[in-house]
Amino acid sequence: MPNRQQLIDALATLERVGRVAAAGVDARTTVDEIVRVVAEQMGTPLCSLYLTEPGSRGVVLAASTALRFNPHAPPRLGPGEGLVGLVVEKGQAVAVAEAERHPRFKFLPKTGEERFVSFLGVPVVQGGEVAGCLVVQTEQARTFEEQEIQLLQTVAHQVGGLVEGLNSTALIAASGGSERRELRLVGVAAAPGVAVGRAVVERGLLPLHAYQASGEPEVELVRLDVAVAAARGDLDRVIARLREAVGEEEAALLEMQRLLLTKGSFLNAIEARITAGANAYRTIREVALDHYHTFLRLPDPYIRQRGGDVLEVARRLLETLCKGQPEPAAETTTGTIRVANQISVTDVLDAPEQGVRGVVQGATTPDSHAVLLARTLGLPMVTGIEVGAIRRGDRLIVDGTTGTLYLNPSPAVAAAHRPPVSTTWSPNVPATALPVRLRANVSVGRDLELAAAHGAMGIGLYRTEYAMLTHRDALYAEEEQLALYRAAVERFPDYPTTLRTLDLGGDKPFLRLLPVQEANPLLGLRAVRLTLHRKQVLITQLRAMLRAAAFGPVRILFPMVTTLEELDALLAEVAAARAALVAEGVDHGPVEVGVMVEVPVVARAGGPLFERVDFVAIGSNDLTQYALAVDRQSATVGHLYQPLHPAVLLLIQDTVAAAHAAGKQVCLCGELAAWPLALPALLALAIDELSLAPPAIPRIWDALVDLTRAACAPLLPDLLAAASQDAVIQILEHHFPHLASHGADEG
C-alpha cells in the first residue's frame, strides 16, 4: 500500500488533474494539460496518453510531454502492438525497467522515443471498457515500485472521467478520410437565428503553435513587456470599437481584461516564474490556467465567468508573443461559421467585418458576455456542442433558435435552411394585418435600436437584471434605472414597454443579493422570491419604473409568481412606492401590472392570480423547463428540452383559457415565439402577443403573413393529443410545409 506521503501526492495529482476538467477548455488543450500535470507530479520527463480508435483495439498517440508528433497525423499502433497494445489488450498495468528488451516492444519512429528506457503503462477505463493507456517513461533504466504503479492507476481512473466522450476522432478530426456523414448535434440555444456556412475551427483558446524560447530570463522578460504593451493597445482599440458599435454598457464588459494587463497578481506571477528560468510562452499558459481554475472555485457565478477574461488576455499575450514565429497562414473567413470551445467578445465583435455568419461554442455559458453580444448583434449562436467532431471546411447550419447544429447536412436539410434571396427586409404587410402583435425581448441598450429597426411593436420583455449583471451596482441607484427605462419608453412612445422586475437567482445568480447558496437554485430563492426578500432593491426598482411611466406607456411584469400571497405582497409594494412618490411630489405615471407564468401550478390554476392583474405573460422557456424537469442550458440533457411537447401545449392552453376568462390578454415570451413552425400551434392556442429577440422578428413577421387563426384552430385537438414533440412537429410540417424551411438567414 502507498505510504502517507504517496497518498498525499496522489490526492494532489487528482486535484490538479480534476482542475483540467473544470477548465472547460477544448479537447486538445485538455489532453495536453493532463499529461503535463501527470508528468510533473510523477517526476518523470515523459508522460503520454493514448486513446483507442473507434471500432478497433488500435490506439492513437493523443498527447505527450516529450514525444514529437503531428497531432493531425499522429502515430498509431495496431491492435495488440507494442507495450501500449499489451496494456490495452490485458487491461492491466505493464512496468518494464528496459522496454527494448520486452518481446512486445515497438518503437515509434521520428518521435524522439529512442532516448527513453523504462516504461510504465496503465489502462484508462471508461464505463468498464479500456479507452486508452496512460504512460510514463524515464531516460534511465529503473524498476517502478508498486506504490508508483498504484498511484498512476489511481490517476488514470481520474483521467478516464476527464476524457469521457473524447476519442481519437474528436482529437484528430482533420486527419480522417474525405467522406463525412451528416450529423445533427443538439446543444443549447444561445442567440436566435439561422446561419449557413463553412466551419473555421479554432482548436484552443490558448494557441499551441511553436515558440522559440531564448533561454535567458532577461530576454523573456523583455518579450513579456512588449507583449503586454501591445495587448493593452489592442484591447483599448477593441473597447473603443465596442463602445462605438453597441454602446457604453457593452464596452464595460472588457474592463476586467484591462485590469489583468496592469500590475497585479496575474502579471506578477508570470514575471516571477520567468525570473526563475521558465520561458514566457509556457509561463503565460500555465499561470492563465492556474488563475482560471481559481476563478472557477469562487462562489459567485458572475465572478466565475470572469475566468474567461483570463484566458482571453492570455491569448492576446501569446499571439503577440509569437509574432515573427512560424505560424499557419490565416484562413479566409467570409461566409463561414466560427467554431471554438470558448468564443470571446472580440470574436463576436469582429464577426460582421470578417463575414462570419454564426458561431458555435463548445462551452455552455448562456449568459456570458459573448453570448449577450451575439444576441445584440443578431449573430446566430449555439453552445454546448462537442467541437472536436467538427473539421475545418465542414458545411454547417447553425440554428440558434432551437440550439441545433447540422454538420454536413443532406440536400434536403440544406434546402430547408436555404438563405433568402434578399438580404434586406421590409414588412410586406402592415402590422395591423398580422394575427398577433410582435414585441421585442431586450436586455441591453443596443437592443432598443435593433428592435425598432426590425419592426417591433414595443417591448414585450425588458430583462432588467442584465444591467446589474454587467455593471454590478447599476440597479441599486434609482436614477440610473430611470435613465435606462426612460430610454426604452421614449424609443417606443406609441407602444407599451414591459419592464420585468429582477429575475435573478436560478440560472442568473448574483451573490450580493443571495443570503445563501442553494443546492437547487432553480427551485430556490429566485425572481420575486428574491426581491421580496430584499425589499429595498424591489422598492427602488418599482420607483424607477413608475417614474419612467411619466414618459410613456409602461407595464410592470413580475417573474415566477406562484401564490396569491406573493402577488398581494408585490401589489402592495407597487402601491407603497406610488404613495411615496406622491408624497414626495415626484412625477410618475400609470402602469399596468402583470404576472409571468413560468411554473405548471400557475398555468393549471392561475385564474385567481389573473383576476388581480392587467395582463399575463407566459415564459415558455422556464415553463417548459419546469414541466419537463430539464435544465435547458445543460449540454448533457438539453436535448430533452422540448417546448412543443404536448404537455407544454396543454399548460399554455390552460393559461390562455383562464386569462381570457378573466378578460386579460396573453403574451408569450421565449424561444418558442421565434420558431416559425410553432406559429400555427400558438395561433391555435389563441395567444394574443409574441415577444422575441429583435433579429427574429422579420422571420416571424413574414411567416405570419399567410397564417390565420381560423386556419390553425382545427389542428389544436390533434396537437394536444399527440404523443410527443416529434409527433407535433410532424403534424405542423404536414399542414404547413413552408414553415419548416421558412425564414432561414445568413446571420
Side-chain angles (χ1 to χ4, degrees):
M1 292 291 292
N3 60 36
R4 183 176 183 276
Q5 185 57 50
Q6 288 167 330
L7 286 173
I8 293 173
D9 291 342
L11 290 173
T13 303
L14 291 173
E15 194 274 336
R16 294 185 65 196
V17 172
R19 283 160 48 188
V20 173
V25 291
D26 64 288
R28 170 56 52 196
T29 301
T30 295
V31 295
D32 284 344
E33 289 301 315
I34 285 172
V35 296
R36 181 183 71 81
V37 167
V38 174
E40 183 178 326
Q41 203 72 30
M42 293 289 294
T44 58
L46 171 62
C47 177
S48 300
L49 175 65
Y50 296 81
L51 294 178
T52 56
E53 291 191 280
S56 78
R57 301 301 290 173
V59 296
V60 171
L61 179 60
S64 180
T65 57
L67 298 184
R68 300 186 301 271
F69 72 101
N70 179 356
H72 298 299
R76 285 176 164 82
L77 291 169
E81 283 190 328
L83 293 173
V84 171
L86 180 61
V87 172
V88 173
E89 178 185 298
K90 299 295 185 182
Q92 299 175 352
V94 172
V96 183
E98 297 182 62
E100 289 188 17
R101 296 191 175 188
H102 194 282
R104 293 287 290 270
F105 173 76
K106 181 172 182 178
F107 173 67
L108 290 178
K110 300 180 181 180
T111 62
E113 189 184 19
E114 62 272 8
R115 74 177 194 271
F116 297 100
V117 179
S118 67
F119 175 97
L120 170 59
V122 298
V124 173
V125 179
Q126 296 175 11
E129 298 291 330
V130 177
C133 178
L134 188 64
V135 174
V136 294
Q137 294 178 255
T138 63
E139 294 176 312
Q140 294 80 34
R142 57 163 294 188
T143 300
F144 289 97
E145 298 179 0
E146 183 62 28
Q147 292 90 341
E148 293 176 299
I149 297 173
Q150 290 182 13
L151 172 59
L152 191 61
Q153 287 175 322
T154 303
V155 173
H157 177 75
Q158 178 80 352
V159 170
L162 300 189
V163 300
E164 186 174 3
L166 298 182
N167 54 44
S168 57
T169 303
L171 286 166
I172 56 169
S175 64
S178 59
E179 291 298 320
R180 295 281 280 158
R181 66 186 181 90
E182 178 185 20
L183 287 176
R184 179 178 179 269
L185 305 176
V186 178
V188 177
V194 178
V196 180
R198 295 276 181 178
V200 171
V201 182
E202 181 184 326
R203 287 297 175 195
L205 186 60
L206 305 183
L208 299 174
H209 52 265
Y211 171 70
Q212 302 298 323
S214 67
E216 301 178 21
E218 294 81 4
V219 174
E220 295 296 303
L221 285 171
V222 170
R223 289 180 176 181
L224 174 65
D225 289 341
V226 172
V228 169
R232 284 175 184 161
D234 180 58
L235 185 59
D236 286 341
R237 287 188 291 273
V238 171
I239 291 175
R241 286 179 53 217
L242 197 58
R243 182 178 292 113
E244 180 180 356
V246 291
E248 189 66 41
E249 294 173 61
E250 291 77 9
L253 304 181
L254 297 185
E255 287 302 319
M256 175 64 178
Q257 294 184 30
R258 194 199 295 269
L259 290 174
L260 287 169
L261 289 171
T262 60
K263 286 294 181 180
S265 62
F266 180 64
L267 290 183
N268 289 343
I270 294 173
E271 291 175 356
R273 293 196 191 186
I274 293 175
T275 302
N279 74 64
Y281 181 89
R282 183 183 183 92
T283 299
I284 291 170
R285 289 188 68 230
E286 293 178 357
V287 171
L289 286 171
D290 286 344
H291 275 65
Y292 184 58
H293 300 144
T294 299
F295 273 99
L296 289 178
R297 291 195 295 271
L298 296 175
D300 189 340
Y302 177 89
I303 298 177
R304 284 205 301 269
Q305 284 192 4
R306 303 289 64 75
D309 289 316
V310 177
L311 297 185
E312 175 62 13
V313 166
R315 183 174 72 172
R316 291 182 187 279
L317 290 174
L318 293 175
E319 288 176 348
T320 303
L321 196 67
C322 291
K323 284 183 178 177
Q325 307 282 344
E327 58 182 74
E331 293 184 85
T332 300
T333 58
T334 301
T336 57
I337 306 297
R338 185 185 294 278
V339 180
N341 192 72
Q342 194 86 35
I343 296 292
S344 70
V345 168
T346 309
D347 292 331
V348 176
L349 184 63
D350 289 341
E353 291 184 3
Q354 295 176 348
V356 174
R357 296 171 174 172
V359 287
V360 176
Q361 178 175 277
T364 305
T365 51
D367 293 319
S368 72
H369 294 327
V371 170
L372 294 178
L373 185 58
R375 293 173 186 165
T376 299
L377 296 179
L379 187 69
M381 184 175 185
V382 174
T383 65
I385 295 293
E386 174 49 66
V387 297
I390 305 172
R391 297 182 193 170
R392 178 175 59 86
D394 275 340
R395 292 177 294 111
L396 302 179
I397 297 175
V398 179
D399 189 337
T401 302
T402 63
T404 306
L405 176 71
Y406 298 92
L407 177 64
N408 296 307
S410 65
V413 172
H417 293 83
R418 184 173 293 117
V421 176
S422 173
T423 59
T424 60
W425 175 85
S426 60
N428 50 7
V429 299
T432 54
L434 298 180
V436 293
R437 292 177 290 278
L438 296 182
R439 309 201 193 279
N441 297 336
V442 300
S443 302
V444 292
R446 171 66 174 172
D447 290 348
L448 298 175
E449 296 306 314
L450 287 174
H454 290 87
M457 306 170 198
I459 303 302
L461 178 62
Y462 195 128
R463 302 183 180 97
T464 60
E465 64 274 3
Y466 281 95
M468 179 176 281
L469 292 170
T470 302
H471 294 291
R472 304 295 285 168
D473 292 321
L475 291 188
Y476 287 134
E478 183 178 323
E479 296 300 326
E480 290 184 0
Q481 291 189 61
L482 174 60
L484 292 173
Y485 307 154
R486 177 177 176 177
V489 172
E490 292 183 334
R491 190 66 186 82
F492 294 92
D494 300 324
Y495 294 109
T497 294
T498 305
L499 302 172
R500 184 176 67 184
T501 59
L502 295 178
D503 189 9
L504 291 170
D507 58 352
K508 293 186 287 294
F510 192 74
L511 192 62
R512 197 170 300 177
L513 290 182
L514 294 171
V516 295
Q517 294 185 68
E518 299 174 294
N520 296 300
L522 287 170
L523 302 178
L525 195 65
R526 60 164 297 194
V528 295
R529 298 173 181 176
L530 175 59
T531 51
L532 284 172
H533 183 79
R534 299 294 299 270
K535 284 191 177 181
Q536 188 53 52
V537 174
L538 175 62
I539 291 170
T540 300
Q541 186 167 37
L542 292 175
R543 285 173 58 94
M545 291 176 173
L546 289 167
R547 292 175 63 185
F551 301 94
V554 167
R555 303 195 300 189
I556 296 177
L557 179 61
F558 291 118
M560 201 179 165
V561 176
T562 55
T563 67
L564 281 173
E565 291 77 11
E566 283 177 337
L567 180 58
D568 287 342
L570 292 165
L571 294 176
E573 294 300 334
V574 174
R578 183 181 300 281
L581 292 173
V582 170
E584 297 166 17
V586 177
D587 288 342
H588 60 284
V591 297
E592 292 186 347
V593 176
V595 291
M596 202 162 194
V597 178
E598 299 173 275
V599 293
V601 66
V602 178
R604 288 285 293 151
L609 288 169
F610 303 157
E611 291 173 358
R612 285 168 161 80
V613 297
D614 302 300
F615 69 99
V616 175
I618 296 176
S620 64
N621 294 349
D622 270 338
L623 183 60
T624 303
Q625 179 170 256
Y626 287 123
L628 300 180
V630 172
D631 181 357
R632 65 190 177 91
Q633 298 171 355
S634 169
T636 54
V637 299
H639 64 284
L640 298 175
Y641 174 80
Q642 300 174 357
L644 279 179
H645 192 285
V648 177
L649 299 184
L650 283 165
L651 291 173
I652 294 175
Q653 181 191 45
D654 289 343
T655 302
V656 174
H660 284 177
K664 311 300 161 56
Q665 295 203 329
V666 181
C667 176
L668 185 134
C669 313
E671 295 162 5
L672 189 59
W675 190 357
L677 188 61
L679 294 177
L682 298 179
L683 291 179
L685 288 164
I687 293 292
D688 303 297
E689 301 177 1
L690 299 176
S691 190
L692 54 158
I697 291 176
R699 176 173 66 250
I700 298 302
W701 193 305
D702 289 345
L704 285 169
V705 169
D706 298 323
L707 295 177
T708 64
R709 294 187 186 276
C712 299
L715 294 179
L716 189 58
D718 290 339
L719 296 175
L720 298 178
S724 64
Q725 174 172 268
D726 287 343
V728 169
I729 290 174
Q730 289 177 5
I731 294 171
L732 294 173
E733 288 181 338
H734 174 73
H735 288 87
F736 303 95
H738 65 289
L739 293 180
S741 59
H742 196 290
D745 57 50
E746 297 183 76

